[in-house]
Coordinates of all heavy atoms in Angstrom, one line a residue:
L353 N -74.0 -219.8 -84.8 CA -73.6 -218.5 -84.3 C -73.4 -218.5 -82.8 O -74.1 -219.0 -82.0 CB -74.8 -217.5 -84.7 CG -74.4 -216.1 -84.4 CD1 -73.6 -215.5 -85.5 CD2 -75.7 -215.2 -84.2
D354 N -72.3 -217.8 -82.4 CA -72.0 -217.7 -81.0 C -72.8 -216.6 -80.4 O -72.4 -215.4 -80.2 CB -70.5 -217.3 -80.9 CG -70.0 -217.2 -79.5 OD1 -70.7 -217.4 -78.5 OD2 -68.9 -216.9 -79.3
G355 N -74.1 -216.9 -80.1 CA -75.0 -215.9 -79.6 C -74.7 -215.3 -78.4 O -74.2 -215.9 -77.4
V356 N -74.9 -214.0 -78.3 CA -74.6 -213.1 -77.1 C -75.6 -213.5 -76.0 O -75.3 -213.7 -74.8 CB -74.6 -211.6 -77.4 CG1 -74.4 -210.8 -76.2 CG2 -73.4 -211.4 -78.5
T357 N -76.8 -213.6 -76.4 CA -77.9 -214.1 -75.4 C -77.7 -215.4 -74.9 O -77.8 -215.7 -73.7 CB -79.3 -213.9 -76.1 OG1 -79.5 -212.5 -76.7 CG2 -80.4 -214.1 -75.1
R358 N -77.2 -216.3 -75.8 CA -76.9 -217.6 -75.4 C -75.9 -217.7 -74.3 O -76.1 -218.3 -73.4 CB -76.4 -218.4 -76.7 CG -75.9 -219.8 -76.5 CD -75.3 -220.4 -77.7 NE -74.7 -221.7 -77.5 CZ -73.5 -222.0 -77.0 NH1 -72.7 -221.0 -76.5 NH2 -73.1 -223.3 -76.8
D359 N -74.8 -216.9 -74.6 CA -73.7 -216.8 -73.7 C -74.2 -216.3 -72.3 O -73.9 -216.7 -71.2 CB -72.6 -216.0 -74.3 CG -71.4 -215.9 -73.3 OD1 -70.7 -216.8 -73.1 OD2 -71.3 -214.7 -72.7
S360 N -75.0 -215.2 -72.3 CA -75.5 -214.5 -71.2 C -76.4 -215.4 -70.4 O -76.3 -215.6 -69.1 CB -76.3 -213.3 -71.5 OG -75.6 -212.5 -72.4
I361 N -77.2 -216.2 -71.0 CA -78.1 -217.2 -70.4 C -77.3 -218.3 -69.7 O -77.6 -218.6 -68.6 CB -79.2 -217.8 -71.4 CG1 -80.2 -216.6 -71.7 CG2 -79.9 -219.0 -70.8 CD1 -81.2 -217.1 -72.8
L362 N -76.3 -218.8 -70.4 CA -75.5 -219.8 -69.8 C -74.8 -219.3 -68.5 O -74.8 -220.0 -67.4 CB -74.5 -220.4 -70.7 CG -75.1 -221.2 -71.9 CD1 -74.0 -221.6 -73.0 CD2 -75.6 -222.6 -71.4
T363 N -74.3 -218.1 -68.6 CA -73.5 -217.5 -67.4 C -74.5 -217.3 -66.3 O -74.3 -217.7 -65.1 CB -73.0 -216.1 -67.8 OG1 -72.2 -216.3 -69.0 CG2 -72.2 -215.5 -66.7
L364 N -75.7 -216.8 -66.6 CA -76.7 -216.5 -65.5 C -77.2 -217.8 -64.9 O -77.3 -217.9 -63.7 CB -77.9 -215.7 -66.0 CG -77.5 -214.2 -66.4 CD1 -78.8 -213.5 -66.9 CD2 -76.9 -213.5 -65.3
A365 N -77.5 -218.8 -65.7 CA -78.0 -220.1 -65.2 C -77.0 -220.7 -64.2 O -77.4 -221.1 -63.2 CB -78.2 -221.1 -66.4
R366 N -75.7 -220.7 -64.6 CA -74.7 -221.2 -63.7 C -74.7 -220.5 -62.3 O -74.6 -221.0 -61.2 CB -73.3 -221.3 -64.4 CG -73.3 -222.4 -65.4 CD -72.1 -222.3 -66.3 NE -72.3 -223.3 -67.4 CZ -71.9 -223.2 -68.6 NH1 -71.3 -222.1 -69.0 NH2 -72.1 -224.2 -69.6
E367 N -74.8 -219.2 -62.4 CA -74.9 -218.4 -61.2 C -76.1 -218.6 -60.4 O -76.1 -218.3 -59.2 CB -74.7 -216.9 -61.5 CG -73.4 -216.5 -62.0 CD -73.3 -215.1 -62.6 OE1 -74.3 -214.4 -62.6 OE2 -72.2 -214.8 -63.1
M368 N -77.2 -219.0 -61.1 CA -78.5 -219.2 -60.3 C -78.5 -220.7 -59.9 O -79.6 -221.2 -59.6 CB -79.6 -218.9 -61.3 CG -79.7 -217.4 -61.6 SD -80.8 -217.1 -63.1 CE -82.4 -217.4 -62.4
N369 N -77.4 -221.4 -59.9 CA -77.3 -222.9 -59.5 C -78.2 -223.7 -60.4 O -78.7 -224.7 -59.9 CB -77.7 -223.0 -58.1 CG -76.6 -222.5 -57.2 OD1 -75.4 -222.6 -57.6 ND2 -77.0 -221.8 -56.1
I370 N -78.4 -223.4 -61.6 CA -79.1 -224.3 -62.6 C -78.0 -224.9 -63.4 O -77.2 -224.2 -63.9 CB -80.0 -223.4 -63.5 CG1 -81.1 -222.6 -62.7 CG2 -80.6 -224.2 -64.7 CD1 -81.8 -221.6 -63.5
S371 N -78.0 -226.2 -63.4 CA -77.0 -226.9 -64.1 C -77.1 -226.6 -65.6 O -78.2 -226.8 -66.1 CB -77.0 -228.3 -63.6 OG -76.7 -229.2 -64.8
A372 N -76.1 -226.2 -66.2 CA -76.2 -225.8 -67.7 C -75.0 -226.5 -68.4 O -73.9 -226.6 -68.0 CB -76.0 -224.3 -67.8
E373 N -75.4 -227.1 -69.6 CA -74.4 -227.9 -70.3 C -74.5 -227.5 -71.8 O -75.6 -227.4 -72.4 CB -74.7 -229.4 -70.1 CG -73.6 -230.4 -70.4 CD -74.1 -231.8 -70.2 OE1 -74.9 -232.1 -69.3 OE2 -73.7 -232.6 -71.0
E374 N -73.3 -227.4 -72.4 CA -73.2 -227.3 -73.9 C -72.7 -228.6 -74.4 O -71.7 -229.1 -74.0 CB -72.1 -226.1 -74.2 CG -72.5 -224.8 -73.7 CD -71.4 -223.9 -73.7 OE1 -71.0 -223.4 -74.8 OE2 -70.8 -223.6 -72.6
R375 N -73.5 -229.1 -75.3 CA -73.2 -230.5 -75.8 C -73.9 -230.8 -77.1 O -74.8 -230.1 -77.4 CB -73.5 -231.6 -74.7 CG -74.9 -231.8 -74.5 CD -75.1 -233.2 -73.7 NE -76.4 -233.4 -73.2 CZ -77.4 -234.0 -73.8 NH1 -77.3 -234.3 -75.1 NH2 -78.6 -234.2 -73.2
K376 N -73.4 -231.8 -77.8 CA -74.3 -232.2 -78.9 C -75.6 -232.7 -78.5 O -75.7 -233.4 -77.6 CB -73.5 -233.4 -79.6 CG -72.3 -233.0 -80.4 CD -71.7 -234.1 -81.2 CE -71.1 -233.6 -82.5 NZ -71.1 -234.7 -83.5
I377 N -76.6 -232.3 -79.2 CA -78.0 -232.7 -78.8 C -78.6 -233.4 -80.2 O -78.7 -232.7 -81.2 CB -78.9 -231.6 -78.4 CG1 -78.2 -230.9 -77.1 CG2 -80.3 -232.1 -78.1 CD1 -78.9 -229.6 -76.8
S378 N -78.9 -234.6 -80.1 CA -79.4 -235.3 -81.3 C -80.9 -235.2 -81.3 O -81.6 -235.0 -80.3 CB -78.9 -236.8 -81.3 OG -79.6 -237.5 -80.2
I379 N -81.4 -235.5 -82.6 CA -82.9 -235.6 -82.6 C -83.4 -236.7 -81.7 O -84.4 -236.6 -81.2 CB -83.2 -235.8 -84.2 CG1 -82.7 -234.8 -85.1 CG2 -84.7 -236.0 -84.3 CD1 -83.0 -234.9 -86.5
K380 N -82.7 -237.8 -81.7 CA -83.0 -238.9 -80.9 C -83.1 -238.5 -79.3 O -84.0 -239.0 -78.7 CB -81.9 -240.0 -81.0 CG -82.4 -241.2 -81.8 CD -81.6 -242.4 -81.3 CE -82.1 -243.5 -82.2 NZ -81.3 -243.7 -83.4
D381 N -82.2 -237.7 -79.0 CA -82.3 -237.2 -77.5 C -83.6 -236.4 -77.3 O -84.3 -236.7 -76.3 CB -81.2 -236.1 -77.2 CG -79.8 -236.7 -77.3 OD1 -79.7 -237.9 -77.0 OD2 -78.8 -236.0 -77.4
L382 N -84.1 -235.7 -78.3 CA -85.3 -235.0 -78.1 C -86.4 -236.0 -78.1 O -87.4 -235.8 -77.3 CB -85.5 -233.9 -79.2 CG -84.4 -232.9 -79.3 CD1 -84.9 -231.8 -80.4 CD2 -84.2 -232.1 -78.0
E383 N -86.4 -236.9 -79.0 CA -87.6 -237.9 -79.1 C -87.6 -238.7 -77.8 O -88.8 -238.9 -77.3 CB -87.4 -238.9 -80.2 CG -87.6 -238.3 -81.6 CD -87.3 -239.2 -82.7 OE1 -86.2 -239.8 -82.8 OE2 -88.1 -239.4 -83.7
E384 N -86.5 -239.1 -77.3 CA -86.4 -239.8 -76.0 C -87.0 -238.9 -74.8 O -87.8 -239.4 -74.0 CB -85.1 -240.2 -75.6 CG -84.7 -241.5 -76.2 CD -83.3 -241.9 -76.0 OE1 -82.7 -241.6 -74.9 OE2 -82.7 -242.6 -76.9
G385 N -86.6 -237.6 -74.9 CA -87.1 -236.7 -73.8 C -88.5 -236.5 -73.8 O -89.1 -236.4 -72.8
F386 N -89.1 -236.5 -75.0 CA -90.6 -236.4 -75.1 C -91.2 -237.7 -74.6 O -92.1 -237.7 -73.8 CB -91.0 -236.1 -76.6 CG -90.8 -234.6 -76.9 CD1 -90.1 -234.2 -78.0 CD2 -91.6 -233.7 -76.2 CE1 -89.9 -232.9 -78.3 CE2 -91.5 -232.4 -76.6 CZ -90.7 -231.9 -77.6
A387 N -90.6 -238.8 -75.0 CA -91.2 -240.1 -74.7 C -91.1 -240.3 -73.2 O -92.1 -240.8 -72.6 CB -90.4 -241.2 -75.4
K388 N -90.1 -240.0 -72.5 CA -89.9 -240.2 -71.1 C -90.6 -239.0 -70.2 O -90.5 -239.1 -69.0 CB -88.5 -240.3 -70.7 CG -87.8 -241.6 -71.3 CD -86.5 -241.6 -70.7 CE -85.6 -242.7 -71.4 NZ -84.1 -242.4 -71.3
G389 N -90.9 -237.9 -70.9 CA -91.4 -236.7 -70.2 C -90.3 -236.0 -69.4 O -90.6 -235.1 -68.6
T390 N -89.1 -236.1 -69.9 CA -87.9 -235.5 -69.2 C -87.6 -234.1 -69.9 O -86.9 -233.3 -69.5 CB -86.7 -236.3 -69.2 OG1 -86.4 -236.9 -70.5 CG2 -86.8 -237.5 -68.2
L391 N -88.0 -234.0 -71.2 CA -87.9 -232.8 -71.9 C -89.0 -231.8 -71.6 O -90.1 -231.9 -72.0 CB -87.8 -233.0 -73.4 CG -87.7 -231.8 -74.3 CD1 -86.5 -230.9 -74.0 CD2 -87.6 -232.3 -75.8
T392 N -88.7 -230.8 -70.7 CA -89.8 -230.1 -70.1 C -89.9 -228.7 -70.7 O -90.9 -227.9 -70.5 CB -89.6 -229.9 -68.6 OG1 -88.3 -229.5 -68.3 CG2 -90.0 -231.3 -68.0
E393 N -88.8 -228.1 -71.3 CA -88.8 -226.8 -71.9 C -87.9 -226.8 -73.1 O -87.0 -227.5 -73.2 CB -88.2 -225.8 -70.8 CG -88.9 -225.6 -69.6 CD -88.4 -224.5 -68.6 OE1 -88.0 -223.5 -69.1 OE2 -88.4 -224.7 -67.4
A394 N -88.3 -225.9 -74.0 CA -87.5 -225.6 -75.1 C -87.7 -224.2 -75.5 O -88.8 -223.7 -75.4 CB -87.9 -226.5 -76.3
F395 N -86.6 -223.5 -75.9 CA -86.8 -222.0 -76.2 C -85.7 -221.5 -77.1 O -84.6 -222.1 -77.1 CB -87.0 -221.1 -74.9 CG -85.8 -221.3 -74.0 CD1 -84.8 -220.2 -74.0 CD2 -85.7 -222.3 -73.2 CE1 -83.7 -220.3 -73.1 CE2 -84.6 -222.3 -72.2 CZ -83.6 -221.4 -72.1
G396 N -86.0 -220.5 -77.8 CA -85.0 -219.8 -78.7 C -84.4 -218.7 -77.8 O -85.0 -218.2 -76.9
A397 N -83.1 -218.4 -78.1 CA -82.4 -217.4 -77.3 C -81.7 -216.5 -78.4 O -80.8 -217.0 -79.0 CB -81.4 -218.0 -76.3
G398 N -82.0 -215.2 -78.4 CA -81.3 -214.4 -79.3 C -81.5 -212.9 -79.0 O -82.4 -212.6 -78.2
T399 N -80.9 -212.0 -79.6 CA -81.0 -210.6 -79.3 C -82.4 -210.2 -79.7 O -83.1 -209.5 -78.8 CB -80.0 -209.7 -80.1 OG1 -78.6 -210.1 -79.7 CG2 -80.2 -208.3 -79.9
A400 N -82.9 -210.5 -80.9 CA -84.2 -210.1 -81.3 C -85.2 -210.9 -80.5 O -86.2 -210.4 -80.0 CB -84.4 -210.3 -82.8
A401 N -85.0 -212.1 -80.4 CA -86.1 -213.1 -79.8 C -86.0 -213.0 -78.3 O -87.0 -213.4 -77.7 CB -85.8 -214.5 -80.3
V402 N -84.9 -212.6 -77.7 CA -84.7 -212.6 -76.2 C -84.8 -214.1 -75.8 O -84.0 -214.9 -76.1 CB -85.6 -211.7 -75.5 CG1 -85.0 -211.6 -74.0 CG2 -85.6 -210.3 -76.1
V403 N -85.9 -214.5 -75.1 CA -86.2 -215.8 -74.8 C -87.6 -216.2 -75.4 O -88.5 -215.5 -75.0 CB -86.2 -216.0 -73.3 CG1 -86.9 -217.4 -72.9 CG2 -84.8 -215.9 -72.7
A404 N -87.6 -217.0 -76.3 CA -88.8 -217.3 -77.1 C -89.3 -218.7 -76.9 O -88.7 -219.7 -77.4 CB -88.6 -217.1 -78.7
P405 N -90.3 -218.9 -76.0 CA -90.7 -220.2 -75.7 C -91.2 -221.0 -76.9 O -91.8 -220.4 -77.8 CB -92.0 -220.0 -74.8 CG -91.9 -218.6 -74.3 CD -91.1 -217.9 -75.4
I406 N -90.8 -222.3 -77.0 CA -91.2 -223.2 -78.1 C -92.4 -224.1 -77.6 O -92.3 -224.7 -76.5 CB -90.1 -224.0 -78.6 CG1 -89.0 -223.1 -79.2 CG2 -90.5 -225.1 -79.5 CD1 -87.7 -223.9 -79.6
A407 N -93.5 -224.0 -78.3 CA -94.7 -224.8 -77.9 C -94.7 -226.1 -78.5 O -95.1 -227.1 -77.9 CB -95.9 -224.0 -78.3
V408 N -94.2 -226.3 -79.8 CA -94.2 -227.5 -80.5 C -93.0 -227.7 -81.2 O -92.4 -226.8 -81.9 CB -95.5 -227.6 -81.5 CG1 -95.3 -228.7 -82.4 CG2 -96.8 -227.6 -80.7
I409 N -92.4 -229.0 -81.2 CA -91.3 -229.3 -82.1 C -91.8 -230.5 -83.0 O -92.3 -231.5 -82.5 CB -90.0 -229.9 -81.3 CG1 -89.7 -228.7 -80.2 CG2 -88.9 -230.1 -82.2 CD1 -88.4 -229.1 -79.4
N410 N -91.6 -230.3 -84.3 CA -92.0 -231.3 -85.2 C -90.9 -232.1 -85.7 O -89.8 -231.6 -86.1 CB -92.8 -230.6 -86.4 CG -93.2 -231.6 -87.5 OD1 -92.4 -232.2 -88.3 ND2 -94.5 -231.9 -87.4
I411 N -90.9 -233.4 -85.3 CA -89.7 -234.3 -85.7 C -90.2 -235.4 -86.6 O -91.2 -236.1 -86.3 CB -89.2 -234.9 -84.4 CG1 -88.8 -233.8 -83.3 CG2 -87.9 -235.8 -84.7 CD1 -88.3 -234.4 -82.0
H412 N -89.6 -235.6 -87.7 CA -90.0 -236.5 -88.8 C -91.5 -236.5 -89.0 O -92.2 -237.5 -89.2 CB -89.7 -237.9 -88.3 CG -88.3 -238.3 -87.8 ND1 -87.2 -237.8 -88.4 CD2 -87.8 -238.9 -86.8 CE1 -86.1 -238.2 -87.9 NE2 -86.4 -238.8 -86.8
G413 N -92.0 -235.3 -89.1 CA -93.4 -235.1 -89.5 C -94.4 -235.2 -88.3 O -95.6 -235.0 -88.5
K414 N -93.9 -235.5 -87.0 CA -94.8 -235.6 -86.0 C -94.6 -234.4 -84.9 O -93.5 -234.0 -84.6 CB -94.5 -237.0 -85.3 CG -95.4 -237.3 -84.0 CD -95.1 -238.6 -83.5 CE -95.9 -238.8 -82.2 NZ -95.4 -239.9 -81.3
D415 N -95.7 -233.9 -84.5 CA -95.7 -232.7 -83.6 C -95.6 -233.3 -82.2 O -96.3 -234.1 -81.8 CB -97.1 -231.9 -83.6 CG -97.1 -231.0 -84.8 OD1 -96.1 -230.8 -85.5 OD2 -98.2 -230.3 -85.0
Y416 N -94.6 -232.7 -81.5 CA -94.5 -233.0 -80.0 C -94.6 -231.7 -79.3 O -94.0 -230.7 -79.5 CB -93.0 -233.5 -79.7 CG -92.7 -234.8 -80.3 CD1 -92.2 -235.0 -81.6 CD2 -92.9 -236.0 -79.6 CE1 -91.9 -236.2 -82.2 CE2 -92.5 -237.3 -80.2 CZ -92.1 -237.3 -81.4 OH -91.8 -238.5 -82.0
A417 N -95.6 -231.7 -78.3 CA -96.0 -230.5 -77.6 C -95.2 -230.4 -76.3 O -94.9 -231.4 -75.7 CB -97.4 -230.5 -77.4
L418 N -94.8 -229.2 -76.0 CA -94.1 -228.9 -74.7 C -95.1 -228.4 -73.7 O -96.1 -227.8 -74.1 CB -92.9 -227.9 -74.8 CG -91.8 -228.6 -75.5 CD1 -91.2 -227.8 -76.7 CD2 -90.7 -229.0 -74.6
P419 N -94.9 -228.7 -72.4 CA -95.8 -228.1 -71.4 C -95.9 -226.6 -71.5 O -94.9 -226.0 -71.9 CB -95.2 -228.6 -70.1 CG -94.1 -229.6 -70.4 CD -93.7 -229.3 -71.8
E420 N -97.0 -226.1 -71.0 CA -97.2 -224.6 -71.0 C -96.1 -224.0 -70.1 O -95.7 -224.6 -69.1 CB -98.6 -224.4 -70.4 CG -99.0 -222.9 -70.7 CD -100.3 -222.6 -70.0 OE1 -101.1 -223.6 -69.9 OE2 -100.5 -221.6 -69.4
V421 N -95.6 -222.8 -70.5 CA -94.5 -222.2 -69.8 C -95.0 -221.4 -68.6 O -95.9 -220.6 -68.7 CB -93.8 -221.3 -70.8 CG1 -92.6 -220.6 -70.0 CG2 -93.2 -222.0 -71.9

Side-chain angles (χ1 to χ4, degrees):
L353 188 80
D354 179 4
V356 176
T357 308
R358 174 189 181 279
D359 178 78
S360 309
I361 288 176
L362 288 172
T363 304
L364 293 180
R366 287 169 184 143
E367 287 169 6
M368 292 161 77
N369 292 323
I370 297 165
S371 141
E373 201 181 320
E374 299 166 73
R375 66 163 167 92
K376 281 185 149 206
I377 301 170
S378 66
I379 301 180
K380 255 207 178 90
D381 291 337
L382 299 185
E383 286 177 312
E384 270 175 31
F386 279 119
K388 291 186 191 154
T390 51
L391 175 54
T392 49
E393 296 182 38
F395 58 98
T399 296
V402 191
V403 166
I406 294 176
V408 168
I409 303 180
N410 183 281
I411 307 175
H412 309 316
K414 181 173 170 199
D415 277 356
Y416 293 87
L418 284 134
E420 196 187 323
V421 179

